[in-house]
Every structure is written in structure tokens, then in C-alpha cells.
Amino acid sequence: MKILISSCLLGEDVRYDGANSSIAFNPKFPFSSKELFMDILCENEIYSFCPEVAGGLGIPRNPAEIVNNNKPFIVKDENGTDVTINFLLGAKKALDICKEENIKVALLKANSPSCGNIKIYDGTFSHNLVDGQGLTARLLKDNEIEVFNEEQLRELSKFIKTNK
Ligand code: SF4
């Protein structure tokens, strides 16, 4: 199965701070999760994608949060610069790839203003998580693409098995 995966989860240094969120090398994940992740990588066709870089933002970049999570969306970085258009562009490019390649499922980084599928930071740069979705996760879900995060590898694996 084709799977779109957040580049940072694959170990690519694309995060705002120039680092990555590698599942394989993160000590917080038990070996069983890493093993499952590696099985998913080996048994499927992986499309690595970072919406924020695709949307024109650099590495490193200032951290950004969603200030208004309903249309009109507003995303600002910690200096108050409006980066909404970059986030919208990245989301659109993610959807374009999914449509072009017939990708029906994505594994996206939790809590990100682009990739988060359940929680996002509240827009005050206070480390407070609230219910909500990043702009890319939201657009993919709105277009019937299933989105899982790195805490949901078992659910993703089950989805793959039942939709082969
Ligand atoms: S936008 Fe998504 S893929 Fe890119 S660094 Fe942030 S969480 Fe990772």
C-alpha cells in the first residue's frame, strides 16, 4: 500500500529546529513499536513529505502555531509573522501527491500545526495542547484519506491489513 509519511518521522532533519522526530531512533518508543514501524516501511510504498518545507519554509525556521483553526485559518510564527499561506500551500501539495499517486493513508507527526491529527498547540506558544488538527492532516481527512500519528502504529497496521 502507498503511505504518505511525515519526513521528520523517517529521520529527515526538516523540523523547525533543524532536527527530526525519528521513530527508529527515539528512545521513547519501545522496540516493539520500532519493529512494527520497520515492518510498515519494508512492506509498503513510502512517500516522504514535509508540508512546511513544501510550502516554502526554510530549515531551521521559527516555530509556528495555528492561531485561528477555522476558516479563515491563521498560522503565525513565534515572532508574529503570518505564515498561513505556507501552511496552506504545503497542505495542498500533500493532497496533490495523494491524488496523483492514489495514496489513501498517511502517517503524520502528532501535535504539529501541519501534521497533527488529534491535538495541536493552542496558538499561544505556551505548550498547551488542545483538540484540533494541523492544516495538512485536516485537508487529507476532508478528502477521505485516513490519517494516523506515530502513537497509532497498531491502528495503521490494522488499516493496511484490512485495506490491501
Ligand atoms: S511539517 Fe510535518 S513533516 Fe514537516 S517537520 Fe513538521 S511535523 Fe514533520
Side-chain angles (χ1 to χ4, degrees), residues 15-162:
R15 272 182 11 181
Y16 73 91
D17 56 0
N20 64 68
S21 302
S22 167
I23 292 175
F25 291 106
N26 188 335
K28 93 170 186 181
F29 290 107
F31 184 75
S32 57
S33 295
K34 296 180 181 188
E35 203 172 30
L36 180 57
F37 179 61
M38 295 311 297
D39 285 345
I40 290 169
L41 293 190
C42 292
E43 293 166 7
N44 295 280
E45 196 174 337
I46 306 305
Y47 290 74
S48 173
F49 190 80
C50 174
E52 292 174 23
V53 172
L57 296 171
I59 308 166
R61 54 191 174 276
N62 291 323
E65 294 190 6
I66 299 174
V67 176
N68 188 17
N69 198 20
N70 283 303
K71 285 184 180 175
F73 299 111
I74 300 173
V75 187
K76 289 189 175 179
D77 74 14
E78 62 181 354
N79 291 336
T81 301
D82 192 320
V83 288
T84 311
I85 195 65
N86 303 93
F87 277 68
L88 292 175
L89 189 57
K92 171 71 167 63
K93 287 186 175 180
L95 179 61
D96 285 348
I97 289 176
C98 290
K99 284 185 171 171
E100 282 162 20
E101 300 294 334
N102 198 26
I103 297 169
K104 300 288 187 200
V105 60
L107 171 63
L108 300 184
K109 173 76 183 72
N111 306 337
S112 150
S114 290
C115 295
N117 66 334
I118 296 173
K119 299 267 185 190
I120 52 171
Y121 290 100
D122 69 0
T124 65
F125 295 91
S126 314
H127 307 291
N128 292 326
L129 284 168
V130 292
D131 291 344
Q133 301 166 89
L135 297 196
T136 295
R138 182 178 185 139
L139 187 63
L140 297 189
K141 281 189 186 178
D142 285 350
N143 284 272
E144 275 130 41
I145 295 160
E146 292 290 327
V147 178
F148 299 89
N149 67 40
E150 69 275 22
E151 308 285 349
Q152 300 175 306
L153 293 178
R154 298 212 173 278
E155 290 92 329
L156 170 60
S157 179
K158 196 172 164 192
F159 177 88
I160 293 167
K161 285 190 179 108
T162 53

